[in-house]
Amino acid sequence: SQQGEEDPQALSIQEGENATMNCSYKTSINNLQWYRQNSGRGLVHLILIRSNEREKHSGRLRVTLDTSKKSSSLLITASRAADTASYFCATDNTGFQKLVFGTGTRLLVSP
Amino acid sequence: SAVISQKPSRDICQRGTSLTIQCQVDSQVTMMFWYRQQPGQSLTLIATANQGSEATYESGFVIDKFPISRPNLTFSTLTVSNMSPEDSSIYLCSVEGRRGGRNEQFFGPGTRLTVL
């Protein structure tokens, strides 16, 4: 399977703590994207990092990419209960947005 | 950005029947994508739908089981044929759009299908 792996599968933290999720993939990529999904609903695009970038920030989100290790991490700082969701990485190795999704991390942020 | 709607939002169907899912986008797009998300799993790309040509299916998915139509640049349908309980999934369509000067993929809200 081409699918990427994410760890941890589930993460439970308290509000205000940081959450780190890791993603590993198998092939060379054009870009890597992170998505959030609330309760089995539609996906929300969070951030895209290109293969020639190493780090990206967006608000409380920080994404790193290590193409030599074929891995990425998503850091959510100062987490909130509203951050409770499943988070997926997805790689695009064609440049045409045909995404290969990771297995996902279920994040639970308790008040 | 692109706003995507899907119909139905959910359905419960009997095995052996077929269901057609509609995806409507508020702007013209070249490519539309159909994904399947099995219970508790990640998303898997079923096919890419281009207007004016046959859909391109990913490994493990065939046209007889998942026929797709793409009659214009804002609309597509995915049919799940001869359903079995293993087809119970969320089906999502997506398109590529622009936001903040960058390309990104926008997803519809999904159709939750349960096959009895």
Side-chain angles (χ1 to χ4, degrees), chain B residues 91-102:
Chain B
Y91 293 86
L92 302 101
C93 67
S94 73
V95 303
E96 184 178 25
R98 299 273 295 177
R99 177 157 60 187
R102 292 186 175 273

Side-chain angles (χ1 to χ4, degrees), chain B residues 19-116:
Chain B
L19 176 72
T20 296
I21 301 167
Q22 299 177 9
C23 177
Q24 179 77 53
V25 189
D26 68 343
S27 57
Q28 292 185 340
V29 293
T30 303
M31 291 191 287
M32 298 178 75
F33 305 90
W34 286 98
Y35 288 85
R36 180 178 73 181
Q37 186 177 26
Q38 294 176 300
Q41 303 295 315
S42 186
L43 281 75
T44 301
L45 180 63
I46 298 172
T48 304
N50 295 322
Q51 195 267 337
S53 62
E54 285 206 357
T56 304
Y57 289 83
E58 298 300 307
S59 175
F61 298 96
V62 295
I63 187 171
D64 289 346
K65 177 66 178 177
F66 297 102
I68 288 171
S69 79
R70 182 78 200 276
N72 58 53
L73 291 174
T74 63
F75 187 79
S76 177
T77 67
L78 170 76
T79 298
V80 186
S81 304
N82 188 24
M83 289 184 285
S84 67
E86 292 70 35
D87 294 319
S88 296
S89 296
I90 300 173
Y91 293 86
L92 302 101
C93 67
S94 73
V95 303
E96 184 178 25
R98 299 273 295 177
R99 177 157 60 187
R102 292 186 175 273
N103 287 349
E104 70 176 68
Q105 200 157 16
F106 296 86
F107 282 82
T111 295
R112 185 181 293 272
L113 170 62
T114 301
V115 184
L116 302 177

